[in-house]
Amino acid sequence: MSNFAVIQSFYKAWAVGDLDQSLAYCTDDLVWDNVPLKQFKGKERVRGFLEKFGRGMSNVRYEIKQHLEVGDSVMIEAVENYEKDGHSVAVPYMACFSFKGQRISEMRDYFDLGTVERQLGLRD
């Protein structure tokens, strides 16, 4: 399986709410730098954030527009789509992934937090 295929499987599992399967594609020492929020170190800390963030989400879909895979690194341009608290959210983002073997060891997501907050009705 290519690293990009691992990422697609990671997102597919997350989209249907299978956090265990999604995180099975990651190393135990996973580092997720969720720019502009904060960095999480360790699979269990990432799990804690995703459990909290995912509450109330439905119709989760990921549209990967472009990807670039070089060695143990993959970069994607995508849109995360979901519904939460009666709001439809579509967030363009870029993400960089690093791999150890066939598992994601590092993720860095870059997105505009204001876009998310406006779509959730948290900001004008």
Side-chain angles (χ1 to χ4, degrees):
M1 180 182 299
S2 72
N3 289 339
F4 179 62
V6 170
I7 291 167
Q8 289 175 303
S9 297
F10 169 86
Y11 282 129
K12 182 178 179 182
W14 165 251
V16 298
D18 190 346
L19 189 53
D20 288 334
Q21 182 60 46
S22 185
L23 290 174
Y25 294 105
C26 302
T27 61
D28 288 339
D29 62 346
L30 173 67
V31 175
W32 181 24
D33 198 359
N34 194 8
V35 179
L37 299 175
K38 67 180 197 175
Q39 187 179 83
F40 300 94
K41 291 184 179 181
K43 190 187 289 190
E44 292 311 308
R45 288 195 163 230
V46 171
R47 175 188 298 281
F49 173 78
L50 290 176
E51 285 173 344
K52 183 188 284 188
F53 175 71
R55 279 191 202 113
M57 286 176 71
S58 61
N59 297 323
V60 179
R61 297 174 322 283
Y62 289 90
E63 297 175 50
I64 298 176
K65 307 269 187 191
Q66 304 277 342
H67 77 278
L68 174 64
E69 183 169 348
V70 178
D72 291 335
S73 299
V74 179
M75 296 176 67
I76 65 168
E77 172 194 12
V79 179
E80 179 180 46
N81 300 280
Y82 58 91
E83 293 178 20
K84 187 171 186 171
D85 301 327
H87 300 276
S88 292
V89 178
V91 184
Y93 70 100
M94 295 288 296
C96 301
F97 295 83
S98 297
F99 283 77
K100 288 182 185 171
Q102 287 279 279
R103 288 204 159 81
I104 300 166
S105 61
E106 191 173 332
M107 305 185 309
R108 288 180 307 286
D109 289 345
Y110 300 89
F111 65 96
D112 178 47
L113 183 58
T115 298
V116 176
E117 290 173 337
R118 280 188 295 281
Q119 291 180 50
L120 287 173
L122 302 173
R123 171 195 285 200
D124 292 331

